[in-house]
Amino acid sequence: MADLQDELQATGEAGELDTPPTPTKPKPKRDRRPPAPEPIAPGGQDAPGRPEDGRPEDGRPEDGRPEDGRSEDGRAEGEGEGGGAVGDRAGGGRRLRGGRAVATSTAPASTTDASEAVATFGAVTEPEAADPSSEPSSELADAHAFLAAHPVADGYSGLPWVLRQLPRFDLELGGGGVDTDVPRMRKGHIGALFWSLHLPEGLEGERAVGATLEQLDLVRTVVHAHPEGLRLTHSAGETTDARNCGRVAVLLGPAGAPAIGDSLGILRALHALGLKALTLTGASWAGESGLSRFGEEVVREMNRIGVLADLSGASEQTVRRALEVSRAPVVCTRSAAGALRAHPANLADDLLAALGEARGLCMVPLTAEQTGPSIRDVADHLDHVRAIAGPECVGLSGTYDSGAAHPRDLTDASCYPHLVAELMHRGWSEPDLALLTWGNVQRVLRTADFTARAAKDRREASTASITELDG
């Protein structure tokens, strides 16, 4: 009897897998027609006759769902209302990682299982490869995001003179005929803009003064007609307030030197009407030989009332003397690097270095004549000015609506994100970019305002005339 029991035990162990399971109600096999939805067996067991990944033998997804495992309502298989995976199949299944369905398994996969996984999920790994074509658009998106926080303070626009020829033009609606309008300024993330009061050549004396007053009146009229998009400002604080309210801050200037008619009283009157910058060229007191005694008195009075001295296009002697006389930062509203491209308004390296030492501001124009025909040429000038004068002394000047040709991809006021994307590609840091687009202009405006307040406590308004000082 004992021998018989031992033999039966050995036989049972050898054929344990052949022992039939406890009878249960068999599940019907699936045919190769599109299957109807079938619940998972209790305990996480798959239906008989299926591979470990829970799919039918024909390899098609269960219940006719798409390969990505999502149902018709867009959620992944096993995904709850919150968007996360709530469970996997015990023998292998899908899990959402980073928004994609990937294969998982609770046991080491065999060679056959690996082949099936590759066949089933191989397409999932394809997006991992980097797509070079997506890099430019990514940099452009980064540029838009950056400019949303650090908008552009543009140093020069010739729009006022153009609008004299288009009296019925609506800047809010935009359209052809101009390079600058409210929609394009918003698209280009322009937060502040200097509106030039420069006049055509040949206007002098009283004619120049009268034409400048007309220009100034036109700007004020246009700004007041577009209160939802524009706001006239006179200081750094008002400029920031306008930006925070979603308006483009409009700063008046630069005006040409003939606009003051050789009179410091007219200079003060223009400032009272909003003038913020005056270009020191085109007058007898600011010529090739530099500033005369009256010219130096003009600079001192500009410091006292808070008008910036613009040295773009001025002679080398005028630039050097203005840097010595001025107690407030000077600006060059349309000057690039003379070492890269010869132009009368571009600055040589020694002048750029002197400008940097004086904490002035060189605003590089986006014109083909001064910088070159491509966006890379403009970026080269910005790199050079930053290297010589310092990151605190470089800014941007669109110079749109001035009659100048512009580089490719920088054809109007909406194109600044392309330039910022190029600078990001070159490795400009975020602090340097923030100074370039907004911070440096704000610094110059604040310093000019502070200098004016301090000077008014020490100096009375000058009554000197050109006859007295220059004879």
Side-chain angles (χ1 to χ4, degrees), residues 50-404:
R50 299 187 184 182
E52 289 187 357
D53 65 353
R55 291 172 174 263
E57 293 179 356
D58 61 359
R60 290 178 299 176
E62 184 181 42
D63 64 80
R65 296 182 183 180
E67 276 293 324
D68 62 359
R70 294 185 175 272
S71 61
E72 294 180 355
D73 63 357
R75 292 199 303 269
E77 181 177 350
E79 185 178 349
E81 293 293 336
V86 297
D88 298 324
R89 297 181 187 273
R94 302 182 188 185
R95 188 186 305 277
L96 287 178
R97 293 179 183 172
R100 294 173 299 156
V102 297
T104 61
S105 175
T106 58
S110 65
T111 303
T112 302
D113 296 335
S115 300
E116 292 177 352
V118 170
T120 305
F121 301 107
V124 173
T125 62
E126 292 179 3
E128 297 291 341
D131 182 6
S133 63
S134 66
E135 293 178 2
S137 61
S138 174
E139 289 179 346
L140 188 58
D142 292 342
H144 277 284
F146 172 83
L147 288 172
H150 307 281
V152 172
D154 189 326
Y156 192 96
S157 172
L159 189 59
W161 189 259
V162 173
L163 292 179
R164 290 188 70 158
Q165 321 306 320
L166 302 170
R168 298 176 183 237
F169 189 83
D170 191 331
L171 287 178
E172 191 67 51
L173 296 178
V178 299
D179 300 328
T180 308
D181 52 41
V182 172
R184 278 182 277 194
M185 285 191 282
R186 287 172 176 158
K187 186 177 179 181
H189 302 279
I190 294 177
L193 183 63
F194 283 85
W195 286 34
S196 165
L197 302 177
H198 282 164
L199 305 171
E201 294 183 5
L203 292 178
E204 297 178 355
E206 294 181 358
R207 292 180 60 202
V209 175
T212 300
L213 289 172
E214 290 175 356
Q215 287 286 86
L216 194 151
D217 179 69
L218 173 66
V219 172
R220 297 176 70 92
T221 301
V222 171
V223 171
H224 292 157
H226 300 83
E228 297 302 317
L230 307 173
R231 180 179 294 181
L232 193 65
T233 61
H234 305 87
S235 65
E238 292 180 3
T239 300
T240 300
D241 289 343
R243 166 207 167 186
N244 293 339
C245 292
R247 309 297 194 271
V248 177
V250 174
L251 295 149
L252 289 172
I260 69 169
D262 300 335
S263 167
L264 297 178
I266 294 177
L267 170 64
R268 289 188 289 269
L270 290 175
H271 170 258
L273 294 173
L275 181 68
K276 288 301 297 180
L278 183 73
T279 304
L280 304 186
T281 60
S284 61
W285 45 266
E288 290 298 321
S289 58
L291 293 176
S292 68
R293 291 179 60 199
F294 181 76
E296 293 176 2
E297 190 69 6
V298 170
V299 172
R300 295 188 188 99
E301 190 64 15
M302 290 168 66
N303 287 172
R304 195 189 72 84
I305 61 179
V307 175
L308 296 170
D310 173 26
L311 302 179
S312 283
S315 66
E316 179 179 347
Q317 290 76 13
T318 297
V319 172
R320 293 190 184 279
R321 187 55 183 157
L323 290 173
E324 294 172 357
V325 173
S326 180
R327 295 294 177 264
V330 300
V331 297
C332 297
T333 58
R334 295 169 296 159
S335 294
L340 300 185
R341 197 173 187 90
H343 188 278
N346 290 352
L347 299 178
D349 284 356
D350 58 339
L351 291 180
L352 284 174
L355 186 69
E357 292 176 3
R359 301 280 291 170
L361 181 59
C362 177
M363 309 184 81
V364 176
L366 312 186
T367 63
E369 182 182 3
Q370 288 185 248
T371 57
S374 73
I375 194 171
R376 293 182 179 180
D377 294 324
V378 177
D380 288 343
H381 281 265
L382 291 169
D383 284 340
H384 190 86
V385 173
R386 181 180 66 154
I388 302 300
E392 300 85 3
C393 300
V394 59
L396 297 171
S397 179
T399 323
Y400 293 115
D401 295 298
S402 63

